[in-house]
Every structure is written in C-alpha cells, then in structure tokens.
Amino acid sequence: MIAGPSGTGKSHFAEAISHLAIEKDLRVAWFTLESLSAAISRAKIDGSVSRAITRICRSDVIVIDDIGLLPVSHDTAEAFYRLVDAAYERRSVAVTSNIHPPGFDTIMPKTLATATVDRLMHHAHLVETSGDSHRLAEALSGRGVVPLT
C-alpha cells in the first residue's frame, strides 16, 4: 500500500516495483480503479465476472493505481473488493492512494471499504509518501515546460 499526497511519487514507486517483478519473469497487471471497474462491468454483461477475476489473478503482481481521487460507485467498490478478495494471500497487490486505507470509507460504501481494507492491509507493507507535488514544483519553477514558439 502506497499512500500520500498527489505528486509525491506513489505511481512511480509502484511502476518501479512492477519493473523489478517483470525483470524476474513475473507477470504484472496494472489498473486504475476506473479501468478495473470497466473490465469487471464488461464481464458482468455476459456473466463472466469470476473468469475475469481469475484471469487478472493469473498475474503475480496486481497494481491498482490512484484510489481516492474521486468517490466511486457501488459497482466500482464491488469490483475492487472482488479482486482484493480473490488475490488475498495468493497474489501481491499494490495499491496507490491519496488517502490512507482507513479513509476508503469516505469514497466507497463503508461495508465494502471495511472488508477490502481488512484483506488489503493484512500482511501488508505501508509506504507513506509526503512532501509537495513534484509536478507542481516543476511547473512553478518553469522546468518541464516547453514554451510555444
């Protein structure tokens, strides 16, 4: 679990972990919460949710990036729970979030948030980032900006 303010390197940290896993011939699946929800919603249409979750869980490392930016629908919270539950104690799951896991109930239904966080944080390592946004610092200093000519 990687939690902290925007622009403090959470996604980059998860990407580095993913690259190391790939270098060790492990399979990595990467989702935003929205893309995970879309994948599970498509599977609901033909009743293949279990197969979709099983397919995702064939990966050795599953990354879910950027939780906490927006409130999520019940379906999205359910998709997140289903994946975390299926991967629980079987696969490595890395989650990046702007909010600390106990705060997930501020963006999703409390029952699903509690059950998801319970499984997600059991045996977990929590990395907390801090500081100012690197993107904002670059923008304010004029670095990374390409002037229009």
Side-chain angles (χ1 to χ4, degrees), residues 18 27-31 55-57 59-64 92 94:
S18 298
R27 290 169 294 184
V28 175
W30 185 289
F31 296 92
R55 190 171 36 254
I56 294 167
C57 285
S59 296
D60 301 294
V61 177
I62 303 163
V63 178
I64 301 139
S92 295

Side-chain angles (χ1 to χ4, degrees), residues 64-122:
I64 301 139
D65 192 29
D66 280 340
I67 292 176
L69 296 177
L70 300 168
V72 299
S73 70
H74 188 275
D75 285 348
T76 301
E78 181 184 332
F80 183 43
Y81 167 76
R82 283 177 176 254
L83 180 60
V84 169
D85 184 56
Y88 176 62
E89 293 190 327
R90 293 183 198 103
R91 294 289 181 249
S92 295
V93 177
V95 173
T96 70
S97 178
N98 288 6
I99 56 177
H100 206 276
F104 282 10
D105 63 355
T106 64
I107 60 162
M108 63 180 67
K110 185 172 182 69
T111 324
L112 285 170
T114 301
T116 304
V117 169
D118 179 63
R119 286 159 180 80
L120 186 62
M121 295 307 294
H122 188 227

Side-chain angles (χ1 to χ4, degrees), residues 31 33-50 52-53 55-56 73-80 82:
F31 296 92
L33 194 53
E34 290 76 22
S35 67
L36 173 65
S37 178
I40 300 303
S41 293
R42 283 190 303 273
K44 276 186 175 181
I45 293 169
D46 65 3
S48 63
V49 172
S50 293
I53 294 289
R55 190 171 36 254
I56 294 167
S73 70
H74 188 275
D75 285 348
T76 301
E78 181 184 332
F80 183 43
R82 283 177 176 254

